[in-house]
Amino acid sequence: QVQVVESGGGFVQAGGSLRLSCAASGIIFSNYAINWYRQAPGNQRELVAGISTTGSTDYTDSVKGRFTISRDNAKNTVYLQMNSLKPEDTAVYYCNLIRRTPALNFWGKGTLVTVSS
């Protein structure tokens, strides 16, 4: 079966760094674009960063210059390097894998990031 597992979340002080990982199995990983979303209590789920099958990346304005998304197809893994963390980055972070044709979509269960002031 398809399995998507996030890891690397934790508790850090403002200004610190974390690297999130998302490992997938049961799919041809290179055929999928990958997004990181986050959701804080009381907030809507927000798209944070994305990477295409060809390696093109995009970020929401609030994390530009601080976060970097990358992928390693040989390891079936995508990463989100988060630097200069702020309390407002506190959220559960979710990995979303998307195949465009034919359409297919998989989600992980999330990993919690808590940034203290």
Side-chain angles (χ1 to χ4, degrees), residues 3-10 20-23 35-39 45 91-97 106-114:
Q3 188 172 9
V4 180
V5 180
E6 301 99 332
S7 62
L20 306 184
S21 298
C22 174
N35 296 321
W36 283 99
Y37 285 80
R38 67 186 180 188
Q39 187 167 25
R45 187 168 295 188
V92 177
Y93 284 71
Y94 298 91
C95 180
N96 171 225
L97 279 65
F106 299 102
W107 290 84
K109 294 181 179 180
T111 186
L112 177 62
V113 172
T114 303

Side-chain angles (χ1 to χ4, degrees), residues 29-71:
F29 186 80
S30 60
N31 289 341
Y32 288 78
I34 305 168
N35 296 321
W36 283 99
Y37 285 80
R38 67 186 180 188
Q39 187 167 25
N43 292 358
Q44 296 184 4
R45 187 168 295 188
E46 174 190 26
L47 177 62
V48 177
I51 186 166
S52 74
T53 57
T54 59
S56 298
T57 60
D58 200 8
Y59 304 88
T60 192
D61 286 344
S62 64
V63 308
K64 286 181 179 177
R66 300 189 297 122
F67 291 11
T68 302
I69 187 171
S70 62
R71 66 190 295 161

